[in-house]
Amino acid sequence: MAYTLPMQKILLIGFLWPEPNATAAGGRMLQLIQFFKQQKYQITFASTSTENEHTDNLSKLGINTQSIVLNDASFDEFIWNLLPNIVLFDRFMIEEQFGWRVAKHVPNAIRILDTEDLHSLRATRQEAHKESISFSIEDWKKNTITKREIASIYRCDLSLIISSFEMELLTKELKVDNQLLFHLPFMLPQIEMIETEKWKSFENRKNFICIGNGKHAPNLDAINWLKKEIWPRIHKQLPKSELHIYGAYLPESVQQMHKPKEGFYIMGRAEVAIDVLEEVRVNLAPLRFGAGIKGKLVDGMHSGTPSITTTIGAEGMHGNLPWNGMITDKAEHFANVAVELYLNKEKWNKMQQNGVSINNKYYEKNTLHKAFLDKINALKRDISNHRLQNFIGTMLLHHSLASTKYMSRWIEEKNKSK
């Protein structure tokens, strides 16, 4: 009789139900789902959030779904019955809530944290921007969110880091062991020549674009900066050009910026970002704070649309290769290089090809899939020794079980009495 290997199971605990057409985080989650599906895992996606009309229909992909509740023993029964081999936490806040329950009820399951980006880095930069002061590594280290996020990284067997800059920050500034981290950027198809030949030419494109989810503070700041300082300078030099602002959940304050006479158009949600990107000539992403890597910029590469962005926008995204556009942090210079790229066909074509090179070297999914699978298999072979080498994580998990558990149970009992 042939022996059949038991089905491998993974539980993905999402901060939100994925919206791949609205957020880079949603796209990232879908890439992870596709990876584990390719490896023949039985996948269950669970979340405490509420689904809406724009969330991806995971059941069509053969994914089991489960609504879960914070501070409730029902999760214990759910995970005990599921018995996953791997549990992946979507952002450190989810690990804080459910990590101790996972460790207690399925101790042999590999615990993976997908950081999405370092939230502590983004929060510290946002605070510095708000106070009009320079960001410093020292302030980041002092931030309470940093301490929480790094503790979460240590409690997990592996943390996925999306940006090469953030890998360096963790290993050099905080001396986090490389064995606990894995650099895994967006996992994207290779851009083939046959695809580039289908892209619209320089002459057949017009106008500028900016894409950003309205729930993301760096995007709202970028739109405001465009409206007040950057776009007026561009429009003065190119009075017939238009800027189209796309994004889900744009607030009323942004909706009111719709000024066709100024060439400033608020377009709302883009069902498929690449479809609107491939119509325009230049992608604008003036991000003054933030972290991770930017979905809008890799979408630009996949639509053949060069991007003007900031140092933070391009951070950790292109390694030692030249950017597929221009990088600048000053409003006047940002506007000037945007106009130059808009008018210069030769430079525009070169920047377009830079995007192809960046994508194919750093984001090609088959190469990344193999490296990620090798890492997971290595953990499976020797998870006990891996955990023995992570004494700090073991210590933090012990304290988490002793403190978070009782706080959660106190909240649970309090909710019952209501």
Side-chain angles (χ1 to χ4, degrees):
M1 181 181 294
Y3 177 72
T4 303
L5 289 173
M7 172 71 76
Q8 294 289 293
K9 300 179 185 177
I10 181 168
L11 170 63
L12 307 171
I13 309 179
F15 183 71
L16 297 169
W17 294 93
E19 291 185 55
N21 292 329
T23 67
R28 163 69 161 192
M29 180 54 70
L30 194 59
Q31 290 166 19
L32 288 168
I33 286 172
Q34 289 168 342
F35 165 79
F36 284 107
K37 189 177 180 184
Q38 185 177 312
Q39 307 312 319
K40 307 301 183 185
Y41 275 79
Q42 178 184 309
I43 304 170
T44 301
F45 186 94
S47 180
T48 61
S49 67
T50 303
E51 294 185 71
N52 64 53
E53 60 181 316
H54 299 294
T55 54
D56 208 53
N57 189 339
L58 297 178
S59 61
K60 285 187 176 180
L61 298 174
I63 311 304
N64 301 317
T65 59
Q66 177 73 36
S67 291
I68 52 176
V69 182
L70 291 173
N71 305 306
D72 194 287
S74 61
F75 179 83
D76 303 345
E77 183 178 358
F78 159 66
I79 198 166
W80 174 251
N81 288 328
L82 183 63
L83 289 178
N85 306 94
I86 298 175
V87 177
L88 186 144
F89 306 102
D90 174 27
R91 301 170 235 201
F92 81 91
M93 302 85 79
I94 293 298
E95 188 279 332
E96 285 182 328
Q97 292 288 344
F98 294 100
W100 69 269
R101 292 183 183 273
V102 170
K104 179 180 179 182
H105 295 289
V106 284
N108 295 326
I110 294 170
R111 300 184 299 275
I112 299 177
L113 172 64
D114 185 33
T115 58
E116 296 283 0
D117 60 29
L118 286 182
H119 287 55
S120 55
L121 179 62
R122 173 155 46 88
T124 307
R125 282 174 167 167
Q126 184 172 350
E127 289 172 15
H129 178 72
K130 185 178 179 181
E131 300 295 326
S132 298
I133 59 175
S134 297
F135 165 79
S136 73
I137 298 297
E138 289 70 25
D139 287 339
W140 171 66
K141 289 179 179 178
K142 293 175 186 175
N143 197 315
T144 300
I145 300 175
T146 307
K147 296 177 178 66
R148 289 172 54 196
E149 190 163 32
I150 302 308
S152 181
I153 286 173
Y154 272 106
R155 284 193 298 265
C156 290
D157 298 310
L158 187 69
S159 290
L160 308 180
I161 310 300
I162 204 165
S163 159
S164 59
F165 174 82
E166 292 173 8
M167 279 290 290
E168 190 170 328
L169 194 64
L170 292 170
T171 55
K172 292 190 176 179
E173 290 292 336
L174 297 183
K175 312 300 181 187
V176 178
D177 190 337
N178 248 312
Q179 293 303 308
L180 299 177
L181 308 173
F182 186 74
H183 179 215
L184 189 68
F186 296 136
M187 296 172 281
L188 304 170
Q190 182 164 312
I191 301 174
E192 305 285 356
M193 185 178 295
I194 192 171
E195 296 173 58
T196 66
E197 291 171 348
K198 295 176 184 177
W199 287 342
K200 286 193 173 184
S201 65
F202 177 87
E203 292 85 0
N204 290 326
R205 296 176 183 237
K206 63 178 181 178
N207 298 324
F208 297 83
I209 195 170
C210 175
I211 299 184
N213 175 11
K215 291 183 177 179
H216 195 54
N219 292 334
L220 294 181
D221 176 75
I223 294 169
N224 276 290
W225 196 28
L226 274 169
K227 182 68 171 65
K228 293 176 182 178
E229 297 187 49
I230 298 172
W231 180 248
R233 289 181 164 99
I234 295 175
H235 199 240
K236 185 177 180 180
Q237 298 179 66
L238 299 170
K240 293 183 179 180
S241 65
E242 299 173 359
L243 171 58
H244 296 170
I245 306 290
Y246 282 91
Y249 309 110
L250 295 177
E252 183 61 28
S253 59
V254 171
Q255 302 286 350
Q256 292 176 359
M257 294 180 186
H258 184 71
K259 303 288 182 185
K261 289 184 179 179
E262 299 171 11
F264 202 92
Y265 291 78
I266 306 300
M267 309 299 287
R269 179 187 291 268
E271 289 305 319
V272 181
I274 289 178
D275 287 351
V276 294
L277 274 160
E278 65 184 10
E279 297 292 327
V280 301
R281 196 174 288 176
V282 178
N283 183 22
L284 304 179
L287 298 160
R288 294 191 284 187
F289 57 91
I293 59 178
K294 317 304 181 294
K296 58 180 72 66
L297 296 176
V298 291
D299 283 345
M301 296 174 197
H302 275 263
S303 60
T305 310
S307 299
I308 312 293
T309 191
T310 58
T311 303
I312 284 177
E315 178 183 87
M317 288 197 67
H318 61 111
N320 58 2
L321 294 179
W323 183 244
N324 73 315
M326 303 293 288
I327 301 170
T328 179
D329 298 315
K330 300 294 183 182
E332 184 175 3
H333 190 239
F334 195 106
N336 289 340
V337 295
V339 171
E340 179 188 3
L341 188 56
Y342 191 84
L343 297 175
N344 191 324
K345 178 181 177 179
E346 183 179 354
K347 176 172 280 191
W348 187 90
N349 283 328
K350 183 176 184 299
M351 297 306 174
Q352 185 185 72
Q353 288 306 307
N354 286 352
V356 174
S357 299
I358 292 168
N359 177 84
N360 292 351
K361 181 173 182 178
Y362 295 112
Y363 302 101
E364 197 278 313
K365 67 178 182 181
N366 291 331
T367 302
L368 294 170
H369 281 186
K370 183 181 183 306
F372 188 27
L373 182 61
D374 288 347
K375 185 67 176 180
I376 290 172
N377 287 338
L379 286 173
K380 285 180 179 178
R381 285 193 299 269
D382 202 14
I383 190 63
S384 296
N385 185 58
H386 178 82
R387 288 173 176 172
L388 280 174
Q389 304 306 312
N390 180 20
F391 177 78
I392 293 175
T394 305
M395 176 181 65
L396 288 169
L397 185 59
H398 169 79
H399 285 284
S400 178
L401 282 165
S403 58
T404 311
K405 175 175 69 173
Y406 292 110
M407 173 61 75
S408 178
R409 286 184 172 171
W410 178 80
I411 294 171
E412 186 179 339
E413 291 302 317
K414 187 178 179 181
N415 289 338
K416 288 179 182 177
S417 65
K418 288 182 180 180

